[in-house]
């Protein structure tokens, strides 16, 4: 698998990573524990060394599962997790904030069964806490050897610049795909300028871009596709031209639509590393295989030109996802 170096910490990661969330959270039915652990081993054996989780996925359960799944190759991989400061936590002074952040990290380390994480993200930016204060805490955690690098998720360009000036960031992880390109305007160029890696989450738009889902499909439990508007029947139908386009390009190159979606972003930015998630090995292999799909300049320009003519309907927002838990 091709490698990419990201950010201040210079972490060397496979060009396509693996999002572990769906193994226990966010997409309904989950594989049993044995199967999930087997999948993680296969992901590693397939050449992927970049695993993504968060304390918030199934209330720490995902980190525990990942901790078990990666135990035999922990030191060979780049492990990323995330924290969120809850509104009820007392963080009005820097020493208090430091204690709270470190307690979050210590709990994650315990669940992950490790003594460091390679990449520690602030999962969502808190309006009450200056990003510079979080960045300072991250610097302390780096000095202590508990994390190797840090980053933000779904942050603005201002938040990135302010935080990066205090403790240089390794990566920004935010939603990016052919269906969600809002960060192309400011955030991704700023990452390029500052030498920060960009890690797209939901790079397949929750699987939609694979073209394997139809508008009649039913989703159950905590599956976000029950509530995100991208998966509403009318929007799925309205987005069909994008799938038709992808199928065409995929057929021309004898690859799949999911692979074209990922190859497009890998070609576009050399500091970008997508982390698609799947609970099925053949799809994981398909997604990791996108690292080997090389687009020529002509092919890439043609995709860009066609994409610019296509209107996208629906999206994925935290507000819509929160409806699942009310
Ligand atoms: N920072 C954040 O706020 C944030 C938010 C969301 C996600 N994330 C991270 O990003 C990772 C990826 O995001 P995501 O899981 O939301 O979106 P995604 O990777 O775009 O899509 C995952 C969904 O697509 C399906 N899928 C994946 N590959 C497929 C393929 N080749 N063919 C058909 N279907 C396919 C999966 O179903 P099956 O499992 O049934 O294959 C799953 O339902 C997560 O695992 C998580 O680590 C971070």
């Amino acid at each position: 698998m091709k490698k990419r170096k990201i950010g201040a910490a210079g972490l060397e990661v496979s060009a396509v990573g693996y999002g572990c969330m769906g193994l226990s959270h966010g997409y309904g039915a989950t594989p049993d524990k044995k199967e999930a652990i087997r999948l993680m081993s296969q992901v590693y054996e397939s050449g992927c060394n970049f695993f993504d989780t968060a304390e918030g996925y199934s209330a720490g359960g995902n980190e525990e599962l990942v901790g078990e799944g990666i135990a035999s190759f922990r030191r060979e991989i780049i492990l990323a997790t995330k924290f969120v400061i809850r509104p009820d936590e007392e963080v009005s002074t820097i020493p208090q904030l430091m204690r709270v952040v470190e307690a979050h990290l210590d709990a994650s380390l315990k669940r992950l069964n490790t003594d460091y994480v390679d990449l520690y993200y602030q999962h969502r930016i808190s309006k009450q806490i200056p990003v510079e204060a979080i960045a300072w805490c991250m610097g302390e955690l780096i000095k202590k050897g508990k994390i190797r690098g840090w980053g933000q998720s779904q942050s603005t360009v201002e938040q990135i610049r302010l935080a990066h000036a205090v403790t240089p960031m390794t990566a920004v992880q935010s939603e990016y795909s052919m269906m969600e390109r809002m960060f192309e305007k400011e955030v991704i160029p700023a990452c390029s300028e500052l030498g920060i890696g960009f890690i797209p989450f939901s790079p397949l738009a929750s699987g939609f871009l694979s073209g394997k889902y139809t508008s009649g499909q039913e989703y159950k439990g905590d599956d976000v596709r029950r509530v995100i508007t991208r998966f509403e029947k009318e929007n799925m139908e309205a987005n069909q031209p994008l799938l038709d386009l992808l199928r065409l390009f995929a057929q021309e190159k004898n690859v799949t639509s999911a692979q074209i979606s990922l190859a497009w972003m890998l070609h576009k930015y050399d500091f970008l590393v997508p982390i698609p998630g799947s609970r099925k090995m053949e799809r994981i292999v398909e997604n990791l295989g996108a690292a080997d799909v090389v687009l020529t300049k002509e092919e890439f320009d043609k995709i860009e030109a066609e994409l610019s003519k296509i209107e996208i309907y629906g999206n994925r927002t935290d507000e819509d996802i929160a409806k699942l838990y009310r």
Side-chain angles (χ1 to χ4, degrees), residues 32-281:
D32 67 31
K33 191 169 154 187
K34 238 171 129 183
E35 170 64 5
I37 289 171
R38 196 180 64 88
L39 278 175
M40 284 183 264
S41 283
Q42 287 184 317
V43 167
Y44 174 63
E45 280 155 21
S46 304
C48 173
N49 78 338
F50 191 24
F51 286 67
D52 187 84
T53 178
E55 64 172 18
Y57 301 160
S58 54
N62 195 259
E63 286 185 329
E64 280 173 7
L65 186 61
V66 171
E68 276 199 61
I70 62 164
S72 60
F73 48 87
R74 159 67 192 106
R75 291 191 180 264
E76 319 308 320
I77 62 161
I78 302 299
L79 177 60
T81 192
K82 321 183 189 81
F83 69 95
V84 175
I85 308 284
R86 296 188 310 271
D88 64 311
E89 289 180 298
E90 184 53 61
V91 290
S92 27
T93 67
I94 293 281
Q96 282 170 341
L97 178 64
M98 183 66 205
R99 267 197 299 278
V100 166
V101 171
E102 194 163 6
H104 277 265
L105 176 61
D106 287 343
S108 286
L109 293 176
K110 193 162 177 226
R111 287 189 291 265
L112 288 163
N113 191 24
T114 185
D115 54 1
Y116 70 100
V117 294
D118 299 273
L119 187 44
Y120 199 37
Y121 297 105
Q122 185 177 15
H123 207 155
R124 288 293 178 272
I125 306 298
S126 153
K127 287 199 183 91
Q128 285 73 41
I129 309 167
V131 289
E132 296 94 320
I134 295 284
W136 183 84
C137 295
M138 293 297 132
E140 292 303 296
L141 294 174
I142 292 171
K143 278 188 219 152
K144 288 184 178 205
K146 288 184 165 187
I147 64 175
R148 290 178 67 197
W150 83 286
Q152 298 171 331
S153 180
Q154 295 289 83
S155 47
T156 64
V157 70
E158 290 78 20
Q159 291 161 343
I160 292 168
R161 286 188 188 282
L162 287 171
H164 186 74
V166 177
T167 304
M169 263 193 263
T170 295
V172 167
Q173 179 182 125
S174 292
E175 187 182 1
Y176 183 62
S177 71
M178 284 182 174
M179 300 189 85
E180 183 50 88
R181 298 173 65 175
M182 65 180 160
F183 293 118
E184 272 187 359
K185 213 168 150 217
E186 292 181 329
V187 165
I188 298 179
C191 287
S192 169
E193 175 201 324
L194 300 170
I196 302 173
F198 185 77
I199 313 299
F201 76 72
S202 302
L204 297 173
S206 297
F208 182 80
L209 292 168
S210 70
K212 293 175 197 162
Y213 299 87
T214 56
S215 60
Q217 230 144 318
E218 216 192 298
Y219 302 102
K220 296 207 170 94
D222 72 348
D223 198 319
V224 295
R225 291 169 294 190
R226 290 171 60 197
V227 287
I228 59 176
T229 56
R230 183 178 294 148
F231 276 80
E232 282 173 3
K233 189 171 184 290
E234 309 75 58
N235 287 339
M236 284 188 80
E237 284 162 11
N239 286 322
Q240 188 58 40
L242 175 57
L243 294 186
D244 294 343
L245 183 72
L246 275 172
R247 196 169 45 237
L248 211 70
F249 283 118
Q251 273 166 359
E252 271 175 25
K253 280 193 84 72
N254 201 20
V255 297
T256 70
S257 296
Q259 288 176 327
I260 289 288
S261 310
L262 298 172
W264 162 80
M265 61 175 74
L266 286 166
H267 180 105
K268 193 159 174 152
Y269 305 108
D270 63 5
F271 53 93
L272 169 155
V273 181
I275 47 164
S278 172
R279 299 155 294 185
K280 300 177 180 73
M281 199 55 216

